[in-house]
Amino acid sequence: MPMPATTVLTARALLLDMDGTLVNSDAVVERIWRRWADRHGLDGDEVMKVVHGRQGYASMAVLLPDRPMEQNHADNARMLAEETADMDGVVAIPGAPEFLASLRGSGLPHALVTSADVPLSTARMAAAGLPLPDVRMTAESVGASKPDPEGFLKGAAELGVAAEDCIVFEDSGAGIAAGRAAGMRVVGVGPRAGLHRPDVLVEDLTRVRVEAAGDGTIRLHVEQ
């Protein structure tokens, strides 16, 4: 059998999405969004094509374009509370514990950039047994949801690293578009990411090895 190809990327910081990238929360996301779809007479399969990566209100604006935005924000607040109370089936993406441990142990600059708010991101990371990075950009940190690049740009600025020196890890179309719009390279994680042509695609985080280079950069060995 042929040996898997390995791509080596260098960066000065990594910006990490949460859901679908570090944490598998698909079960709860499906439950809650399909209930929402039923309440609004929408096709659940079509709804699920939209919601990954975005904040809830932004997904609702796509799915119900004529509804006032204040209703979307109110609905989103209720859904966030539902999601935060439901951790059934939330687990770590394979390789995520080791990946985060290697970043933390080497002191390599990294940040969480998620469309979840503080309570939800804290609860899901804990449910998956993952440590929260010291730098976190959550729903409260930004005025615009992915695919807007605001979260990634703020994460880079907080770490003191130029956008072009960052690599984004993402699973969703909205997240990959946000990373690209920020001028960053994107490592796609999982099958959803493969639909949106990231720079590099991996099945999960067992395929990524992190190495601290002597000049302060991060060397990523990505097995495809």
Side-chain angles (χ1 to χ4, degrees), residues 148-179:
D148 191 281
E150 182 184 2
F152 287 127
L153 292 171
K154 282 190 168 180
E158 183 72 18
L159 293 171
V161 176
E164 62 267 23
D165 292 328
C166 295
I167 291 177
V168 165
F169 281 70
E170 266 285 359
D171 74 300
S172 70
I176 290 169

PDB file of all heavy atoms in Angstrom, residues 148-179:
ATOM      1  N   ASP A 148     -18.003  35.813   8.317  1.00  0.00           N
ATOM      2  CA  ASP A 148     -17.225  37.039   8.498  1.00  0.00           C
ATOM      3  C   ASP A 148     -15.911  36.686   9.209  1.00  0.00           C
ATOM      4  O   ASP A 148     -15.897  35.865  10.132  1.00  0.00           O
ATOM      5  CB  ASP A 148     -18.027  38.038   9.347  1.00  0.00           C
ATOM      6  CG  ASP A 148     -17.399  39.411   9.362  1.00  0.00           C
ATOM      7  OD1 ASP A 148     -16.410  39.591  10.116  1.00  0.00           O
ATOM      8  OD2 ASP A 148     -17.868  40.301   8.648  1.00  0.00           O
ATOM      9  N   PRO A 149     -14.787  37.292   8.825  1.00  0.00           N
ATOM     10  CA  PRO A 149     -13.495  36.916   9.407  1.00  0.00           C
ATOM     11  C   PRO A 149     -13.186  37.553  10.754  1.00  0.00           C
ATOM     12  O   PRO A 149     -12.092  37.336  11.298  1.00  0.00           O
ATOM     13  CB  PRO A 149     -12.497  37.420   8.354  1.00  0.00           C
ATOM     14  CG  PRO A 149     -13.168  38.609   7.743  1.00  0.00           C
ATOM     15  CD  PRO A 149     -14.632  38.239   7.699  1.00  0.00           C
ATOM     16  N   GLU A 150     -14.120  38.321  11.321  1.00  0.00           N
ATOM     17  CA  GLU A 150     -13.825  39.098  12.525  1.00  0.00           C
ATOM     18  C   GLU A 150     -13.219  38.268  13.651  1.00  0.00           C
ATOM     19  O   GLU A 150     -12.229  38.657  14.274  1.00  0.00           O
ATOM     20  CB  GLU A 150     -15.090  39.802  13.025  1.00  0.00           C
ATOM     21  CG  GLU A 150     -14.830  40.676  14.257  1.00  0.00           C
ATOM     22  CD  GLU A 150     -16.098  41.312  14.823  1.00  0.00           C
ATOM     23  OE1 GLU A 150     -17.198  41.054  14.292  1.00  0.00           O
ATOM     24  OE2 GLU A 150     -15.967  42.063  15.812  1.00  0.00           O
ATOM     25  N   GLY A 151     -13.796  37.113  13.938  1.00  0.00           N
ATOM     26  CA  GLY A 151     -13.305  36.294  15.050  1.00  0.00           C
ATOM     27  C   GLY A 151     -11.863  35.867  14.858  1.00  0.00           C
ATOM     28  O   GLY A 151     -11.044  35.933  15.786  1.00  0.00           O
ATOM     29  N   PHE A 152     -11.522  35.431  13.641  1.00  0.00           N
ATOM     30  CA  PHE A 152     -10.151  35.001  13.379  1.00  0.00           C
ATOM     31  C   PHE A 152      -9.179  36.179  13.424  1.00  0.00           C
ATOM     32  O   PHE A 152      -8.072  36.060  13.937  1.00  0.00           O
ATOM     33  CB  PHE A 152     -10.069  34.286  12.030  1.00  0.00           C
ATOM     34  CG  PHE A 152     -10.681  32.919  12.045  1.00  0.00           C
ATOM     35  CD1 PHE A 152     -11.638  32.554  11.117  1.00  0.00           C
ATOM     36  CD2 PHE A 152     -10.298  31.983  13.001  1.00  0.00           C
ATOM     37  CE1 PHE A 152     -12.203  31.290  11.128  1.00  0.00           C
ATOM     38  CE2 PHE A 152     -10.865  30.713  13.027  1.00  0.00           C
ATOM     39  CZ  PHE A 152     -11.813  30.363  12.090  1.00  0.00           C
ATOM     40  N   LEU A 153      -9.579  37.319  12.891  1.00  0.00           N
ATOM     41  CA  LEU A 153      -8.707  38.490  12.927  1.00  0.00           C
ATOM     42  C   LEU A 153      -8.484  38.963  14.365  1.00  0.00           C
ATOM     43  O   LEU A 153      -7.360  39.344  14.736  1.00  0.00           O
ATOM     44  CB  LEU A 153      -9.300  39.608  12.067  1.00  0.00           C
ATOM     45  CG  LEU A 153      -9.309  39.327  10.563  1.00  0.00           C
ATOM     46  CD1 LEU A 153     -10.109  40.393   9.822  1.00  0.00           C
ATOM     47  CD2 LEU A 153      -7.893  39.241  10.011  1.00  0.00           C
ATOM     48  N   LYS A 154      -9.527  38.920  15.180  1.00  0.00           N
ATOM     49  CA  LYS A 154      -9.368  39.308  16.584  1.00  0.00           C
ATOM     50  C   LYS A 154      -8.501  38.307  17.339  1.00  0.00           C
ATOM     51  O   LYS A 154      -7.712  38.685  18.218  1.00  0.00           O
ATOM     52  CB  LYS A 154     -10.741  39.437  17.255  1.00  0.00           C
ATOM     53  CG  LYS A 154     -11.465  40.723  16.907  1.00  0.00           C
ATOM     54  CD  LYS A 154     -12.703  40.915  17.778  1.00  0.00           C
ATOM     55  CE  LYS A 154     -13.243  42.324  17.631  1.00  0.00           C
ATOM     56  NZ  LYS A 154     -14.445  42.564  18.467  1.00  0.00           N
ATOM     57  N   GLY A 155      -8.647  37.036  17.021  1.00  0.00           N
ATOM     58  CA  GLY A 155      -7.808  36.021  17.653  1.00  0.00           C
ATOM     59  C   GLY A 155      -6.342  36.236  17.339  1.00  0.00           C
ATOM     60  O   GLY A 155      -5.476  36.168  18.225  1.00  0.00           O
ATOM     61  N   ALA A 156      -6.044  36.519  16.064  1.00  0.00           N
ATOM     62  CA  ALA A 156      -4.656  36.787  15.668  1.00  0.00           C
ATOM     63  C   ALA A 156      -4.121  38.016  16.385  1.00  0.00           C
ATOM     64  O   ALA A 156      -2.983  38.015  16.883  1.00  0.00           O
ATOM     65  CB  ALA A 156      -4.586  36.970  14.153  1.00  0.00           C
ATOM     66  N   ALA A 157      -4.935  39.078  16.440  1.00  0.00           N
ATOM     67  CA  ALA A 157      -4.498  40.312  17.094  1.00  0.00           C
ATOM     68  C   ALA A 157      -4.231  40.082  18.577  1.00  0.00           C
ATOM     69  O   ALA A 157      -3.247  40.595  19.135  1.00  0.00           O
ATOM     70  CB  ALA A 157      -5.557  41.397  16.899  1.00  0.00           C
ATOM     71  N   GLU A 158      -5.089  39.302  19.224  1.00  0.00           N
ATOM     72  CA  GLU A 158      -4.913  39.020  20.655  1.00  0.00           C
ATOM     73  C   GLU A 158      -3.609  38.258  20.902  1.00  0.00           C
ATOM     74  O   GLU A 158      -2.938  38.455  21.919  1.00  0.00           O
ATOM     75  CB  GLU A 158      -6.110  38.216  21.160  1.00  0.00           C
ATOM     76  CG  GLU A 158      -6.098  37.922  22.651  1.00  0.00           C
ATOM     77  CD  GLU A 158      -6.376  39.145  23.511  1.00  0.00           C
ATOM     78  OE1 GLU A 158      -6.917  40.147  22.989  1.00  0.00           O
ATOM     79  OE2 GLU A 158      -6.034  39.102  24.713  1.00  0.00           O
ATOM     80  N   LEU A 159      -3.245  37.398  19.969  1.00  0.00           N
ATOM     81  CA  LEU A 159      -1.992  36.640  20.082  1.00  0.00           C
ATOM     82  C   LEU A 159      -0.782  37.443  19.612  1.00  0.00           C
ATOM     83  O   LEU A 159       0.356  37.003  19.785  1.00  0.00           O
ATOM     84  CB  LEU A 159      -2.094  35.345  19.268  1.00  0.00           C
ATOM     85  CG  LEU A 159      -3.087  34.307  19.787  1.00  0.00           C
ATOM     86  CD1 LEU A 159      -3.246  33.183  18.769  1.00  0.00           C
ATOM     87  CD2 LEU A 159      -2.669  33.740  21.133  1.00  0.00           C
ATOM     88  N   GLY A 160      -1.028  38.599  18.985  1.00  0.00           N
ATOM     89  CA  GLY A 160       0.059  39.427  18.494  1.00  0.00           C
ATOM     90  C   GLY A 160       0.740  38.865  17.265  1.00  0.00           C
ATOM     91  O   GLY A 160       1.940  39.066  17.052  1.00  0.00           O
ATOM     92  N   VAL A 161      -0.039  38.178  16.423  1.00  0.00           N
ATOM     93  CA  VAL A 161       0.510  37.515  15.232  1.00  0.00           C
ATOM     94  C   VAL A 161      -0.220  38.039  14.000  1.00  0.00           C
ATOM     95  O   VAL A 161      -1.445  38.199  14.014  1.00  0.00           O
ATOM     96  CB  VAL A 161       0.346  35.979  15.341  1.00  0.00           C
ATOM     97  CG1 VAL A 161       0.826  35.289  14.076  1.00  0.00           C
ATOM     98  CG2 VAL A 161       1.104  35.456  16.553  1.00  0.00           C
ATOM     99  N   ALA A 162       0.529  38.308  12.929  1.00  0.00           N
ATOM    100  CA  ALA A 162      -0.087  38.762  11.682  1.00  0.00           C
ATOM    101  C   ALA A 162      -0.998  37.675  11.112  1.00  0.00           C
ATOM    102  O   ALA A 162      -0.721  36.477  11.246  1.00  0.00           O
ATOM    103  CB  ALA A 162       0.997  39.119  10.662  1.00  0.00           C
ATOM    104  N   ALA A 163      -2.071  38.107  10.462  1.00  0.00           N
ATOM    105  CA  ALA A 163      -3.048  37.148   9.925  1.00  0.00           C
ATOM    106  C   ALA A 163      -2.395  36.126   9.003  1.00  0.00           C
ATOM    107  O   ALA A 163      -2.697  34.926   9.070  1.00  0.00           O
ATOM    108  CB  ALA A 163      -4.158  37.903   9.191  1.00  0.00           C
ATOM    109  N   GLU A 164      -1.476  36.586   8.154  1.00  0.00           N
ATOM    110  CA  GLU A 164      -0.877  35.670   7.187  1.00  0.00           C
ATOM    111  C   GLU A 164       0.037  34.633   7.831  1.00  0.00           C
ATOM    112  O   GLU A 164       0.417  33.647   7.198  1.00  0.00           O
ATOM    113  CB  GLU A 164      -0.105  36.446   6.114  1.00  0.00           C
ATOM    114  CG  GLU A 164       1.055  37.271   6.632  1.00  0.00           C
ATOM    115  CD  GLU A 164       0.678  38.710   6.953  1.00  0.00           C
ATOM    116  OE1 GLU A 164      -0.527  38.979   7.197  1.00  0.00           O
ATOM    117  OE2 GLU A 164       1.578  39.564   6.950  1.00  0.00           O
ATOM    118  N   ASP A 165       0.377  34.837   9.112  1.00  0.00           N
ATOM    119  CA  ASP A 165       1.213  33.881   9.839  1.00  0.00           C
ATOM    120  C   ASP A 165       0.396  32.909  10.687  1.00  0.00           C
ATOM    121  O   ASP A 165       0.951  32.166  11.505  1.00  0.00           O
ATOM    122  CB  ASP A 165       2.214  34.622  10.732  1.00  0.00           C
ATOM    123  CG  ASP A 165       3.267  35.370   9.925  1.00  0.00           C
ATOM    124  OD1 ASP A 165       3.620  34.884   8.834  1.00  0.00           O
ATOM    125  OD2 ASP A 165       3.724  36.436  10.378  1.00  0.00           O
ATOM    126  N   CYS A 166      -0.931  32.936  10.514  1.00  0.00           N
ATOM    127  CA  CYS A 166      -1.820  32.044  11.272  1.00  0.00           C
ATOM    128  C   CYS A 166      -2.354  30.928  10.375  1.00  0.00           C
ATOM    129  O   CYS A 166      -2.555  31.123   9.178  1.00  0.00           O
ATOM    130  CB  CYS A 166      -3.012  32.824  11.834  1.00  0.00           C
ATOM    131  SG  CYS A 166      -2.577  34.079  13.052  1.00  0.00           S
ATOM    132  N   ILE A 167      -2.605  29.793  10.982  1.00  0.00           N
ATOM    133  CA  ILE A 167      -3.307  28.696  10.316  1.00  0.00           C
ATOM    134  C   ILE A 167      -4.582  28.409  11.096  1.00  0.00           C
ATOM    135  O   ILE A 167      -4.562  28.305  12.332  1.00  0.00           O
ATOM    136  CB  ILE A 167      -2.440  27.436  10.226  1.00  0.00           C
ATOM    137  CG1 ILE A 167      -1.270  27.664   9.247  1.00  0.00           C
ATOM    138  CG2 ILE A 167      -3.256  26.233   9.772  1.00  0.00           C
ATOM    139  CD1 ILE A 167      -0.305  26.497   9.144  1.00  0.00           C
ATOM    140  N   VAL A 168      -5.672  28.307  10.362  1.00  0.00           N
ATOM    141  CA  VAL A 168      -6.993  28.032  10.926  1.00  0.00           C
ATOM    142  C   VAL A 168      -7.290  26.537  10.812  1.00  0.00           C
ATOM    143  O   VAL A 168      -6.978  25.918   9.789  1.00  0.00           O
ATOM    144  CB  VAL A 168      -8.060  28.852  10.163  1.00  0.00           C
ATOM    145  CG1 VAL A 168      -9.464  28.345  10.450  1.00  0.00           C
ATOM    146  CG2 VAL A 168      -7.938  30.328  10.483  1.00  0.00           C
ATOM    147  N   PHE A 169      -7.907  25.976  11.852  1.00  0.00           N
ATOM    148  CA  PHE A 169      -8.437  24.611  11.806  1.00  0.00           C
ATOM    149  C   PHE A 169      -9.962  24.718  11.840  1.00  0.00           C
ATOM    150  O   PHE A 169     -10.526  25.270  12.788  1.00  0.00           O
ATOM    151  CB  PHE A 169      -7.938  23.790  12.998  1.00  0.00           C
ATOM    152  CG  PHE A 169      -6.537  23.272  12.836  1.00  0.00           C
ATOM    153  CD1 PHE A 169      -5.446  24.131  12.872  1.00  0.00           C
ATOM    154  CD2 PHE A 169      -6.299  21.917  12.641  1.00  0.00           C
ATOM    155  CE1 PHE A 169      -4.153  23.654  12.718  1.00  0.00           C
ATOM    156  CE2 PHE A 169      -5.006  21.425  12.482  1.00  0.00           C
ATOM    157  CZ  PHE A 169      -3.928  22.294  12.524  1.00  0.00           C
ATOM    158  N   GLU A 170     -10.620  24.179  10.823  1.00  0.00           N
ATOM    159  CA  GLU A 170     -12.070  24.336  10.680  1.00  0.00           C
ATOM    160  C   GLU A 170     -12.709  23.113  10.046  1.00  0.00           C
ATOM    161  O   GLU A 170     -12.053  22.358   9.323  1.00  0.00           O
ATOM    162  CB  GLU A 170     -12.386  25.551   9.790  1.00  0.00           C
ATOM    163  CG  GLU A 170     -12.632  26.850  10.527  1.00  0.00           C
ATOM    164  CD  GLU A 170     -13.997  26.900  11.218  1.00  0.00           C
ATOM    165  OE1 GLU A 170     -14.780  25.917  11.110  1.00  0.00           O
ATOM    166  OE2 GLU A 170     -14.277  27.916  11.867  1.00  0.00           O
ATOM    167  N   ASP A 171     -14.013  22.947  10.310  1.00  0.00           N
ATOM    168  CA  ASP A 171     -14.752  21.831   9.706  1.00  0.00           C
ATOM    169  C   ASP A 171     -15.871  22.278   8.783  1.00  0.00           C
ATOM    170  O   ASP A 171     -16.375  21.482   7.997  1.00  0.00           O
ATOM    171  CB  ASP A 171     -15.375  20.962  10.800  1.00  0.00           C
ATOM    172  CG  ASP A 171     -16.574  21.652  11.444  1.00  0.00           C
ATOM    173  OD1 ASP A 171     -16.394  22.742  12.011  1.00  0.00           O
ATOM    174  OD2 ASP A 171     -17.699  21.117  11.352  1.00  0.00           O
ATOM    175  N   SER A 172     -16.303  23.546   8.870  1.00  0.00           N
ATOM    176  CA  SER A 172     -17.519  23.969   8.180  1.00  0.00           C
ATOM    177  C   SER A 172     -17.219  24.918   7.027  1.00  0.00           C
ATOM    178  O   SER A 172     -16.177  25.583   6.995  1.00  0.00           O
ATOM    179  CB  SER A 172     -18.466  24.680   9.162  1.00  0.00           C
ATOM    180  OG  SER A 172     -17.926  25.945   9.533  1.00  0.00           O
ATOM    181  N   GLY A 173     -18.179  25.007   6.108  1.00  0.00           N
ATOM    182  CA  GLY A 173     -18.035  25.940   5.003  1.00  0.00           C
ATOM    183  C   GLY A 173     -17.939  27.376   5.466  1.00  0.00           C
ATOM    184  O   GLY A 173     -17.117  28.153   4.968  1.00  0.00           O
ATOM    185  N   ALA A 174     -18.781  27.750   6.440  1.00  0.00           N
ATOM    186  CA  ALA A 174     -18.753  29.124   6.948  1.00  0.00           C
ATOM    187  C   ALA A 174     -17.409  29.432   7.601  1.00  0.00           C
ATOM    188  O   ALA A 174     -16.853  30.525   7.430  1.00  0.00           O
ATOM    189  CB  ALA A 174     -19.890  29.337   7.944  1.00  0.00           C
ATOM    190  N   GLY A 175     -16.870  28.474   8.355  1.00  0.00           N
ATOM    191  CA  GLY A 175     -15.599  28.683   9.032  1.00  0.00           C
ATOM    192  C   GLY A 175     -14.432  28.752   8.067  1.00  0.00           C
ATOM    193  O   GLY A 175     -13.529  29.580   8.223  1.00  0.00           O
ATOM    194  N   ILE A 176     -14.446  27.884   7.058  1.00  0.00           N
ATOM    195  CA  ILE A 176     -13.380  27.903   6.059  1.00  0.00           C
ATOM    196  C   ILE A 176     -13.412  29.217   5.279  1.00  0.00           C
ATOM    197  O   ILE A 176     -12.367  29.834   5.024  1.00  0.00           O
ATOM    198  CB  ILE A 176     -13.496  26.684   5.132  1.00  0.00           C
ATOM    199  CG1 ILE A 176     -13.147  25.409   5.911  1.00  0.00           C
ATOM    200  CG2 ILE A 176     -12.587  26.830   3.904  1.00  0.00           C
ATOM    201  CD1 ILE A 176     -13.485  24.124   5.190  1.00  0.00           C
ATOM    202  N   ALA A 177     -14.610  29.680   4.932  1.00  0.00           N
ATOM    203  CA  ALA A 177     -14.734  30.966   4.241  1.00  0.00           C
ATOM    204  C   ALA A 177     -14.221  32.102   5.115  1.00  0.00           C
ATOM    205  O   ALA A 177     -13.571  33.037   4.620  1.00  0.00           O
ATOM    206  CB  ALA A 177     -16.192  31.204   3.852  1.00  0.00           C
ATOM    207  N   ALA A 178     -14.491  32.043   6.421  1.00  0.00           N
ATOM    208  CA  ALA A 178     -14.022  33.081   7.339  1.00  0.00           C
ATOM    209  C   ALA A 178     -12.500  33.092   7.416  1.00  0.00           C
ATOM    210  O   ALA A 178     -11.870  34.157   7.411  1.00  0.00           O
ATOM    211  CB  ALA A 178     -14.620  32.866   8.724  1.00  0.00           C
ATOM    212  N   GLY A 179     -11.892  31.918   7.496  1.00  0.00           N
ATOM    213  CA  GLY A 179     -10.448  31.832   7.533  1.00  0.00           C
ATOM    214  C   GLY A 179      -9.814  32.391   6.276  1.00  0.00           C
ATOM    215  O   GLY A 179      -8.830  33.142   6.320  1.00  0.00           O
TER     216      GLY A 179
END
